[in-house]
Amino acid sequence: MQSVAAALERLEELAASPTVAKLAHAFEAADHEIALVGGPVRDAFLGRRVSDLDFTTDATPDEILSIVKPIAGAHWDVGRDFGTIGAKIAGETVEITTYRSDAYDGASRKPEVVFGRTLDDDLTRRDFTVNALALRLPELTLVDPSGGVEDLIAGILRTPATPEQSFGDDPLRMLRAARFSAQLGFEVERATRAAMTALAPQIDRISAERIRDELSKLLLTAAPRGGIRLLVDSGLAERFIPEIPALRLEVDEHHHHKDVYEHSLTVLDQAIDYEVSRGVLDSPDLIVRLAALMHDIGKPATRRLEPGGAVSFHHHDMVGAKLARKRLRALRFDNDTIAAVSRLIELHLRFFGYTDGAWTDSAVRRYVRDAGDQLERLHILTRADVTTRNRRKADRLAFAYDDLEERIAVLAEEEELAAVRPELDGQQIMQLLGLKPGPLVGEAYRYLLDVRLDEGPIGPDAAAERLRAWWAQRADA
């Protein structure tokens, strides 16, 4: 948190930028109010980089368009029904929204958009006090009707109105509380937390797509653990991703095992660390983080209490992959994300057989083949899944995975491992065996792929010879 003086100095610099200055002068000339609002003002106080420029005004959408057209390189009105006009001004994208005073009926998922009359009214309808800050332009007057600056200094999240009213108006704000808590490192104020618990069932009014987007934003923060914990503790997670609170397994006095919920949060933390330390992924990776959070969701359904005090979770990888597909579909994730996350969950235990005995080159090839384009993510998830406090065991597993990655690299260099495929394609198989397109071609293809995985490259001539022998043997059978 910067000092107020330093924050105001940053805001003055921002107001002097070509984009903001052009807008301020254009609206002043048109005799309309305009203010920089929300995130940019908040982030100036926090010393964070300002990325999005959001403005609010007393002008209607039609009036906004007439003011920005002469100074904009481009403009669009896809948010016009909600009072928002977008524009490209001096090379930067901005959004300008008419003062709002939304009205909710307490049942529908969308508010009735009602334009407001004053900046103060617009600010008090916003989600949290730290986002209910504005800088009037061009006079550079800070407007803070709800004590947002004090809450920024204290590191507290609370709503401008009562939390019951705010969350009742838009239940998605409860998920935003979890996200901002993680993103800013702030504590959610006690009454606001209590309202999140009391009103958790109201999240059912929100569409799966909006919940998905907010959950994704939370997971992509630098440290999402606290936000996930808040969703679970408040009962919100139970409404849209119940597999996560279900990880808090009961432990009786005779059967002991690792706390699966806490383990999953630790895996998430460690996966984020590996994203950074390995330097392979370009940006925070939603697929890695979803897989880390959900990798053990098959454990509750497969938990068995064994004689002698042991606890087993046989096949929880396969069960978890199936549950993940179902849950992510319900949350309207795209098919590529669903396929990648479920595949990682399905494969996350595969490596642990590596430490039981040396894998053959065939086993290494199959590991790479099965991971496909998710191999780097599988590396991250598998390493992150080691949360034991036994240093000797942790070191042994780390050394073993180092060895596996080295073997993958050597084989990849020797054999172009990333593109493992049979040495005869489908057309060549049909020509050699006199087949037409159909299931038999696929069967022959899979046979040659097994040969390739087991033995490495053997050359097209040897592959053709092996295929003829397989076909003859199959015909005799």
Side-chain angles (χ1 to χ4, degrees):
M1 173 70 189
Q2 294 194 329
S3 69
V4 174
L8 292 176
E9 184 176 341
R10 285 194 71 199
L11 287 171
E12 287 179 8
E13 293 173 359
L14 184 59
S17 70
T19 300
V20 180
K22 272 190 173 184
L23 270 175
H25 293 144
F27 275 79
E28 183 182 37
D31 199 28
H32 278 290
E33 299 177 4
I34 190 169
L36 187 66
V37 67
V41 184
R42 177 200 68 215
D43 290 342
F45 280 90
L46 294 175
R48 294 160 54 97
R49 184 176 67 88
V50 174
S51 54
D52 299 316
L53 293 177
D54 294 326
F55 298 85
T56 188
T57 177
D58 64 340
T60 65
D62 286 341
E63 291 169 336
I64 295 172
L65 275 172
S66 67
I67 294 169
V68 301
K69 277 182 180 179
I71 62 172
H75 56 82
W76 50 94
D77 60 357
V78 292
R80 188 189 190 110
D81 290 346
F82 295 94
T84 300
I85 301 297
K88 181 84 76 173
I89 296 175
E92 289 195 72
T93 298
V94 302
E95 287 192 347
I96 309 157
T97 302
T98 305
Y99 293 156
R100 293 262 296 271
S101 178
D102 295 344
Y104 292 75
D105 62 12
S108 66
R109 292 175 172 173
K110 296 181 180 180
E112 176 189 352
V113 177
V114 178
F115 295 143
R117 296 183 177 181
T118 70
L119 177 58
D120 279 16
D121 287 346
D122 179 89
L123 293 176
T124 54
R125 56 156 283 277
R126 292 176 179 263
D127 52 7
F128 303 105
T129 60
V130 297
N131 295 330
L133 300 169
L135 184 71
R136 285 190 182 275
L137 301 170
E139 60 266 36
L140 303 184
T141 302
L142 181 67
V143 182
D144 177 18
S146 307
V149 172
E150 288 84 352
D151 288 344
L152 281 172
I153 294 171
I156 289 174
L157 275 182
R158 65 182 179 88
T159 55
T162 66
E164 290 79 10
Q165 178 183 336
S166 182
F167 296 154
D169 280 351
D170 185 359
L172 189 68
R173 289 171 173 170
M174 296 186 284
L175 270 61
R176 288 170 63 83
R179 192 244 298 183
F180 280 120
S181 174
Q183 182 177 313
L184 304 177
F186 283 13
E187 282 290 322
V188 177
E189 178 254 350
R190 183 181 300 176
T192 305
R193 276 179 171 266
M196 290 172 68
T197 300
L199 297 176
Q202 293 296 314
I203 201 66
D204 297 349
R205 290 164 42 199
I206 302 300
S207 69
E209 290 83 358
R210 292 182 73 203
I211 291 174
R212 173 203 63 206
D213 290 348
E214 201 57 52
L215 175 63
S216 299
K217 290 176 183 177
L218 166 58
L219 284 172
L220 290 172
T221 62
R225 173 194 278 254
I228 296 296
R229 193 185 296 282
L230 179 56
L231 293 178
V232 171
D233 291 347
S234 65
L236 280 160
E238 183 68 39
R239 313 298 302 192
F240 62 88
I241 188 165
E243 294 81 5
I244 303 307
L247 294 174
R248 297 179 295 183
L249 301 172
E250 295 181 7
V251 182
D252 65 35
E253 60 181 322
H254 301 297
H255 296 80
H256 304 285
H257 58 81
K258 191 181 300 182
D259 185 317
V260 183
Y261 172 62
E262 292 297 333
H263 163 75
S264 297
L265 294 180
T266 300
V267 172
L268 176 60
D269 289 343
Q270 294 185 166
I272 292 170
D273 290 341
Y274 279 119
E275 281 181 3
V276 176
S277 65
R278 291 174 68 90
V280 176
L281 303 176
D282 295 333
S283 59
D285 191 273
L286 181 62
I287 289 172
V288 165
R289 297 180 184 203
L290 281 167
L293 180 64
M294 303 179 75
H295 76 285
D296 274 347
I297 61 173
K299 281 189 170 179
T302 58
R303 180 173 180 256
R304 298 291 181 270
L305 306 179
E306 306 289 355
V311 180
S312 66
F313 304 98
H314 296 307
H315 307 301
H316 77 268
D317 46 349
M318 304 303 293
V319 172
K322 183 177 180 180
L323 291 173
R325 281 192 292 272
K326 181 178 179 182
R327 180 54 54 198
L328 295 177
R329 277 198 295 266
L331 287 171
R332 303 292 193 271
F333 278 91
D334 63 275
N335 289 335
D336 289 344
T337 297
I338 294 170
V341 172
S342 59
R343 189 61 168 159
L344 289 169
I345 294 173
E346 182 180 328
L347 294 175
H348 82 274
L349 292 181
R350 181 77 66 87
F351 158 73
F352 292 97
Y354 189 82
T355 58
D356 297 336
W359 278 7
T360 63
D361 285 350
S362 171
V364 175
R365 293 186 193 101
R366 290 176 186 276
Y367 187 77
V368 174
R369 190 275 306 268
D370 291 346
D373 59 3
Q374 301 305 314
L375 183 61
E376 175 57 28
R377 288 174 170 137
L378 184 59
H379 290 335
I380 290 174
L381 177 60
T382 302
R383 288 182 179 273
D385 197 23
V386 178
T387 61
T388 178
R389 295 180 182 178
N390 183 320
R391 177 48 53 192
R392 181 177 297 179
K393 181 179 180 182
D395 288 345
R396 177 171 59 84
L397 290 168
F399 293 149
Y401 208 90
D402 289 343
D403 181 67
L404 175 58
E405 286 205 68
E406 288 172 10
R407 290 183 64 188
I408 290 172
V410 170
L411 286 172
E413 186 174 352
E414 293 175 350
E415 305 178 9
E416 297 184 5
L417 196 56
V420 171
R421 57 178 60 89
E423 290 170 283
L424 300 177
D425 62 24
Q427 193 66 37
Q428 291 169 312
I429 291 171
M430 288 189 288
Q431 184 176 354
L432 190 67
L433 300 181
L435 296 174
K436 294 181 179 180
L440 288 176
V441 179
E443 189 177 339
Y445 187 93
R446 287 189 293 273
Y447 165 73
L448 287 178
L449 180 58
D450 284 339
V451 171
R452 173 73 172 81
L453 290 168
D454 287 339
E455 303 177 31
I458 62 174
D461 292 341
E465 184 179 342
R466 295 286 289 275
L467 182 62
R468 289 191 189 96
W470 170 80
W471 184 248
Q473 184 179 17
R474 187 183 183 282
D476 291 341

